[in-house]
Amino acid sequence: LKNVKALFRRGTCLRELKDLARAEHDIRRVLELDPANAAAKRELAAIDKAKKAELQRQKRLAQSMFSALGKM
């Protein structure tokens, strides 16, 4: 796709659906086509924040699983 508006909308929807890798790809493509796009920069920051939150959630889950195994 080369339509900046469509890529931005799809990237935003993908972030909402928690498909962060594809969302990041679309938003980075928007920034390639329009480097001054402030909304895309904000969206990329939101994607990065969501990725960090997901990583923390996965770490907590792994810790609780291994903690439970250690108590057996």
Side-chain angles (χ1 to χ4, degrees):
L1 275 174
K2 287 189 178 183
N3 185 323
V4 172
K5 193 172 187 178
L7 279 168
F8 179 79
R9 286 182 178 172
R10 184 170 73 178
T12 301
C13 289
L14 288 168
R15 179 180 55 84
E16 291 294 324
L17 293 170
K18 307 290 188 230
D19 190 346
L20 301 176
R22 288 178 56 204
E24 182 178 17
H25 179 266
D26 281 357
I27 298 302
R28 288 195 185 280
R29 180 73 177 128
V30 168
L31 289 171
E32 285 176 18
L33 297 170
D34 182 8
N37 190 320
K41 290 176 184 178
R42 286 190 301 272
E43 187 63 25
L44 189 57
I47 291 168
D48 286 340
K49 184 177 179 181
K51 285 171 65 175
K52 288 178 185 173
E54 177 62 19
L55 183 61
Q56 288 300 317
R57 187 191 69 77
Q58 289 177 359
K59 283 182 181 180
R60 283 192 306 272
L61 180 63
Q63 286 174 344
S64 67
M65 287 189 326
F66 288 118
S67 174
L69 285 175
K71 294 177 183 177
M72 292 181 151

